[in-house]
Amino acid sequence: MPKYLKAKAAADSAKTAALAAQLNAEQVGFKDASLNTAASASIESWLKLRAKESSAKKKIKNKPFNLIPSLLALMVGFGLFFSIGMRFIDGDAKTFLKGF
């Protein structure tokens, strides 16, 4: 998660820089070419950092389907564990596993 927090902090600082550059260009009425290019460059860098933040955020989300294989293995393990007891009470382990 620190990677996401670093990306978020970088995107937030780039956003404030982009807003400041846009405000400077707006105060002149968008007539100064150097301020316009600086504002557009800072906005583009903010958009790139925001995309990196979004991809980092997607990577840390837990997905419930990741648990399915481990839960299936746990089910098989419990079935085998409890079928051992069926041998001692004269039961059929295959029938127990089928019902389990």
Side-chain angles (χ1 to χ4, degrees):
M1 190 141 159
K3 200 172 199 181
Y4 164 68
L5 293 177
K6 287 179 185 177
K8 183 171 175 52
D12 289 344
S13 65
K15 182 179 181 181
T16 56
L19 288 174
Q22 182 182 2
L23 185 63
N24 289 339
E26 184 181 354
Q27 288 175 350
V28 183
F30 298 107
K31 294 181 181 177
D32 189 0
S34 64
L35 289 177
N36 290 341
T37 55
S40 65
S42 64
I43 290 171
E44 287 176 12
S45 69
W46 168 65
L47 289 175
K48 288 178 184 177
L49 288 173
R50 190 178 72 169
K52 285 183 182 179
E53 175 195 356
S54 176
S55 67
K57 188 175 183 179
K58 286 180 186 176
K59 290 179 183 178
I60 64 169
K61 287 188 177 177
N62 290 334
K63 297 170 184 73
F65 60 84
N66 289 343
L67 297 175
I68 292 174
S70 61
L71 290 176
L72 289 175
L74 187 65
M75 182 188 72
V76 170
F78 275 140
L80 291 174
F81 177 74
F82 287 117
S83 69
I84 293 171
M86 287 299 292
R87 286 183 74 189
F88 297 112
I89 58 172
D90 296 331
D92 186 21
K94 289 182 183 179
T95 308
F96 173 76
L97 285 175
K98 187 177 180 183
F100 185 73

